[in-house]
Amino acid sequence: MADRSDVSALVNLAQAYNAILYLDDAHALGVLGENGMGLAAYQPGADVVVGTFGKACGAFGAFVTCSAKLKNYLINCCPGFIYTTALPPAVIGAIAAALALIPTLEPERQHLMQSAARLRLQLQQLGYDTATSDSQIVPLIIGDEGKTLRLSEWLEKNGILAIAIRPPTVAAGSSRLRFCSLQPALIRAN
Ligand SMILES: *Cc1c(COP(=O)(O)O)cnc(C)c1O
Protein backbone atom coordinates (compact mmCIF):
# COMPACT_ATOMS: atom_id res chain seq x y z
CA MET A 1 0.00 0.00 0.00
CA ALA A 2 1.14 3.48 -0.67
CA ASP A 3 -0.10 7.03 -0.53
CA ARG A 4 1.39 8.21 -3.80
CA SER A 5 0.12 8.01 -7.36
CA ASP A 6 1.46 5.38 -9.75
CA VAL A 7 2.21 7.89 -12.51
CA SER A 8 3.17 5.40 -15.24
CA ALA A 9 -0.06 3.44 -14.64
CA LEU A 10 -2.05 6.69 -14.90
CA VAL A 11 -0.20 7.61 -18.12
CA ASN A 12 -1.10 4.22 -19.59
CA LEU A 13 -4.76 4.61 -18.57
CA ALA A 14 -4.94 8.11 -20.04
CA GLN A 15 -3.47 6.85 -23.31
CA ALA A 16 -5.81 3.84 -23.42
CA TYR A 17 -8.90 6.03 -22.93
CA ASN A 18 -7.64 9.07 -24.86
CA ALA A 19 -8.03 11.13 -21.70
CA ILE A 20 -6.17 14.20 -20.46
CA LEU A 21 -3.95 13.42 -17.48
CA TYR A 22 -3.82 16.25 -14.92
CA LEU A 23 -1.42 15.65 -12.07
CA ASP A 24 -1.28 17.64 -8.84
CA ASP A 25 2.28 17.16 -7.62
CA ALA A 26 2.10 19.62 -4.69
CA HIS A 27 3.32 17.18 -2.04
CA ALA A 28 5.99 15.54 -4.16
CA LEU A 29 8.04 18.50 -5.41
CA GLY A 30 11.24 18.78 -3.40
CA VAL A 31 10.79 15.40 -1.80
CA LEU A 32 9.89 12.61 -4.25
CA GLY A 33 10.97 11.65 -7.75
CA GLU A 34 14.30 11.92 -9.52
CA ASN A 35 16.37 14.79 -8.07
CA GLY A 36 13.42 15.54 -5.80
CA MET A 37 11.64 17.15 -8.72
CA GLY A 38 8.31 15.42 -8.16
CA LEU A 39 6.64 12.23 -9.37
CA ALA A 40 6.02 13.62 -12.86
CA ALA A 41 9.60 14.79 -13.44
CA TYR A 42 11.60 13.28 -16.30
CA GLN A 43 8.57 11.21 -17.24
CA PRO A 44 6.60 12.09 -20.35
CA GLY A 45 2.88 11.43 -20.48
CA ALA A 46 1.12 13.82 -18.09
CA ASP A 47 -0.63 16.57 -20.06
CA VAL A 48 -0.86 19.01 -17.17
CA VAL A 49 1.23 19.07 -14.01
CA VAL A 50 0.51 21.59 -11.27
CA GLY A 51 2.71 22.17 -8.28
CA THR A 52 3.24 24.72 -5.56
CA PHE A 53 6.29 26.71 -4.48
CA GLY A 54 4.67 27.18 -1.07
CA LYS A 55 5.53 23.82 0.47
CA ALA A 56 8.98 22.17 0.13
CA CYS A 57 10.32 25.22 -1.74
CA GLY A 58 9.54 27.41 1.25
CA ALA A 59 8.41 30.28 -0.99
CA PHE A 60 5.03 31.20 -2.46
CA GLY A 61 3.16 30.76 -5.72
CA ALA A 62 2.50 27.82 -7.94
CA PHE A 63 3.01 26.60 -11.49
CA VAL A 64 1.35 24.75 -14.32
CA THR A 65 3.41 22.82 -16.84
CA CYS A 66 1.49 22.14 -20.03
CA SER A 67 1.48 22.57 -23.79
CA ALA A 68 2.05 26.05 -25.29
CA LYS A 69 -1.57 26.01 -26.46
CA LEU A 70 -2.97 25.41 -22.96
CA LYS A 71 -0.52 27.94 -21.53
CA ASN A 72 -1.85 30.63 -23.87
CA TYR A 73 -5.40 29.70 -22.98
CA LEU A 74 -4.71 29.96 -19.23
CA ILE A 75 -2.85 33.28 -19.57
CA ASN A 76 -5.73 34.79 -21.51
CA CYS A 77 -8.77 33.18 -19.88
CA CYS A 78 -7.97 32.30 -16.27
CA PRO A 79 -9.48 35.07 -14.05
CA GLY A 80 -7.54 34.07 -10.93
CA PHE A 81 -4.34 34.61 -12.88
CA ILE A 82 -5.33 37.71 -14.87
CA TYR A 83 -6.54 39.70 -11.85
CA THR A 84 -3.79 38.74 -9.41
CA THR A 85 -0.61 40.79 -8.95
CA ALA A 86 2.46 39.01 -10.31
CA LEU A 87 4.85 37.47 -7.79
CA PRO A 88 7.38 40.00 -6.42
CA PRO A 89 11.03 39.62 -7.49
CA ALA A 90 12.12 38.54 -3.99
CA VAL A 91 9.74 35.57 -4.17
CA ILE A 92 10.93 34.67 -7.68
CA GLY A 93 14.49 34.78 -6.30
CA ALA A 94 13.55 32.45 -3.43
CA ILE A 95 11.91 30.03 -5.88
CA ALA A 96 14.98 30.03 -8.16
CA ALA A 97 17.24 29.36 -5.16
CA ALA A 98 15.02 26.51 -3.98
CA LEU A 99 14.95 24.92 -7.45
CA ALA A 100 18.75 25.08 -7.59
CA LEU A 101 19.08 23.60 -4.09
CA ILE A 102 16.56 20.75 -4.36
CA PRO A 103 18.63 18.41 -6.61
CA THR A 104 21.52 18.63 -4.11
CA LEU A 105 19.41 17.56 -1.13
CA GLU A 106 19.47 13.77 -1.59
CA PRO A 107 20.95 13.11 1.91
CA GLU A 108 18.26 15.34 3.46
CA ARG A 109 15.56 13.47 1.52
CA GLN A 110 16.88 10.15 2.84
CA HIS A 111 16.91 11.56 6.37
CA LEU A 112 13.34 12.79 5.92
CA MET A 113 12.09 9.37 4.76
CA GLN A 114 13.93 7.62 7.59
CA SER A 115 12.41 9.97 10.17
CA ALA A 116 8.93 9.40 8.75
CA ALA A 117 9.45 5.62 8.75
CA ARG A 118 10.61 5.71 12.38
CA LEU A 119 7.59 7.78 13.42
CA ARG A 120 5.20 5.43 11.57
CA LEU A 121 6.74 2.34 13.11
CA GLN A 122 6.58 3.73 16.63
CA LEU A 123 2.98 4.88 16.22
CA GLN A 124 2.05 1.44 14.86
CA GLN A 125 3.79 -0.26 17.78
CA LEU A 126 1.59 1.83 20.09
CA GLY A 127 -1.42 0.43 18.23
CA TYR A 128 -2.21 3.49 16.09
CA ASP A 129 -3.46 3.41 12.51
CA THR A 130 -1.22 5.35 10.08
CA ALA A 131 -3.36 4.45 7.03
CA THR A 132 -1.42 3.77 3.82
CA SER A 133 1.35 6.31 4.41
CA ASP A 134 4.76 5.49 3.00
CA SER A 135 5.79 9.10 2.44
CA GLN A 136 6.87 12.08 4.51
CA ILE A 137 3.23 12.75 5.42
CA VAL A 138 2.20 10.58 8.34
CA PRO A 139 -1.47 10.49 9.36
CA LEU A 140 -2.67 9.18 12.69
CA ILE A 141 -6.28 8.14 12.26
CA ILE A 142 -8.39 8.92 15.34
CA GLY A 143 -11.92 8.87 13.92
CA ASP A 144 -13.77 11.14 16.35
CA GLU A 145 -13.48 14.84 15.54
CA GLY A 146 -13.47 16.11 19.14
CA LYS A 147 -10.84 13.61 20.25
CA THR A 148 -8.67 14.56 17.28
CA LEU A 149 -8.86 18.26 18.17
CA ARG A 150 -8.08 17.59 21.84
CA LEU A 151 -5.06 15.44 20.97
CA SER A 152 -3.80 18.09 18.54
CA GLU A 153 -4.09 20.76 21.28
CA TRP A 154 -2.39 18.53 23.85
CA LEU A 155 0.49 17.81 21.46
CA GLU A 156 0.90 21.51 20.68
CA LYS A 157 1.20 22.29 24.40
CA ASN A 158 3.92 19.64 24.48
CA GLY A 159 5.88 21.10 21.59
CA ILE A 160 4.59 19.01 18.67
CA LEU A 161 2.62 20.66 15.89
CA ALA A 162 0.26 18.08 14.34
CA ILE A 163 -2.70 19.61 12.55
CA ALA A 164 -6.16 18.06 13.01
CA ILE A 165 -7.66 17.14 9.63
CA ARG A 166 -11.44 16.80 9.77
CA PRO A 167 -14.41 16.40 7.42
CA PRO A 168 -14.99 17.61 4.75
CA THR A 169 -11.25 17.38 4.00
CA VAL A 170 -11.44 13.67 4.93
CA ALA A 171 -14.41 11.27 5.11
CA ALA A 172 -16.72 11.48 8.14
CA GLY A 173 -15.48 9.33 11.02
CA SER A 174 -11.88 9.37 9.80
CA SER A 175 -10.58 12.54 11.49
CA ARG A 176 -6.87 12.41 11.93
CA LEU A 177 -3.70 14.19 12.90
CA ARG A 178 -1.25 14.88 10.12
CA PHE A 179 2.42 14.89 10.96
CA CYS A 180 4.80 16.47 8.44
CA SER A 181 8.54 16.56 8.79
CA LEU A 182 10.60 19.71 8.39
CA GLN A 183 11.47 20.56 4.82
CA PRO A 184 14.97 19.38 3.87
CA ALA A 185 16.16 22.84 2.80
CA LEU A 186 15.40 24.22 6.25
CA ILE A 187 17.24 21.40 8.01
CA ARG A 188 20.34 22.18 6.00
CA ALA A 189 20.01 25.95 6.45
CA ASN A 190 19.97 25.42 10.22
C1 LIG B 1 -1.17 22.91 -0.93
C2 LIG B 1 -1.76 22.23 -2.10
C3 LIG B 1 -2.16 22.96 -3.22
C4 LIG B 1 -2.18 24.47 -3.26
O1 LIG B 1 -0.97 25.05 -3.19
P1 LIG B 1 -0.89 26.60 -2.82
O2 LIG B 1 0.30 27.09 -3.54
O3 LIG B 1 -0.78 26.64 -1.33
O4 LIG B 1 -2.16 27.23 -3.30
C5 LIG B 1 -2.65 22.28 -4.31
N1 LIG B 1 -2.75 20.94 -4.30
C6 LIG B 1 -2.41 20.20 -3.22
C7 LIG B 1 -2.54 18.71 -3.28
C8 LIG B 1 -1.89 20.81 -2.10
O5 LIG B 1 -1.56 20.08 -1.04
Side-chain angles (χ1 to χ4, degrees):
M1 288 206 287
D3 59 352
R4 69 189 69 181
S5 300
D6 181 343
V7 177
S8 44
L10 291 172
V11 168
N12 290 339
L13 270 177
Q15 279 165 359
Y17 290 93
N18 196 24
I20 289 174
L21 178 59
Y22 171 108
L23 208 67
D24 184 335
D25 225 10
H27 288 270
L29 179 67
V31 177
L32 301 176
E34 202 176 322
N35 285 333
M37 284 301 182
L39 292 175
Y42 309 106
Q43 178 162 324
D47 301 284
V48 185
V49 179
V50 299
T52 176
F53 297 120
K55 288 178 179 152
C57 290
F60 183 76
F63 62 89
V64 181
T65 59
C66 57
S67 66
K69 197 171 180 180
L70 182 59
K71 181 179 92 171
N72 285 330
Y73 172 79
L74 292 173
I75 288 174
N76 289 292
C77 301
C78 181
F81 182 75
I82 293 168
Y83 299 110
T84 303
T85 308
L87 292 181
V91 172
I92 302 287
I95 293 168
L99 290 178
L101 194 57
I102 283 169
T104 73
L105 295 174
E106 201 49 46
E108 285 79 358
R109 278 189 281 279
Q110 281 173 18
H111 175 81
L112 176 68
M113 290 304 159
Q114 283 160 6
S115 306
R118 197 167 66 233
L119 174 62
R120 267 196 308 273
L121 184 68
Q122 294 188 349
L123 288 172
Q124 286 160 6
Q125 282 170 350
L126 290 169
Y128 287 113
D129 178 2
T130 58
T132 59
S133 165
D134 71 347
S135 70
Q136 78 282 11
I137 297 161
V138 181
L140 192 167
I141 313 288
I142 303 288
D144 182 76
E145 209 173 320
K147 265 191 196 165
T148 308
L149 281 172
R150 284 196 298 281
L151 184 54
S152 174
E153 282 162 18
W154 184 85
L155 283 170
E156 189 174 344
K157 278 189 200 118
N158 288 276
I160 296 173
L161 197 58
I163 307 296
I165 312 284
R166 297 169 288 155
T169 309
V170 294
S174 74
S175 289
R176 64 197 62 191
L177 298 181
R178 189 174 282 164
F179 295 93
C180 304
S181 299
L182 256 189
Q183 49 179 298
L186 281 185
I187 294 171
R188 177 178 280 188
N190 290 338

